[in-house]
Amino acid sequence: MLGWAIAFLIIALVAALFGFGGIASASAGIAQILFFVFIVLFVVAMVARAVRGRSP
């Protein structure tokens, strides 16, 4: 998930460099959404691991 966010961020930066504003803003928006989804899933996984505890 984080890899996809970084890929869309790079696409947004390259598109902005070449002057494609619409594509750059769309790619940046997608990257931002994917990053926040990644963060939420990471926090949920960490909480679930803390609640469950360590298994032998």
Side-chain angles (χ1 to χ4, degrees):
M1 181 79 61
L2 188 57
W4 281 103
I6 292 171
F8 276 107
L9 178 63
I10 292 171
I11 291 171
L13 291 174
V14 170
L17 181 69
F18 290 119
F20 298 111
I23 295 171
S25 65
S27 295
I30 292 171
Q32 186 177 14
I33 290 169
L34 287 175
F35 180 74
F36 285 124
V37 168
F38 171 77
I39 293 296
V40 168
L41 290 175
F42 178 74
V43 169
V44 167
M46 294 305 288
V47 168
R49 184 178 169 100
V51 168
R52 187 178 58 182
R54 278 201 138 148
S55 301

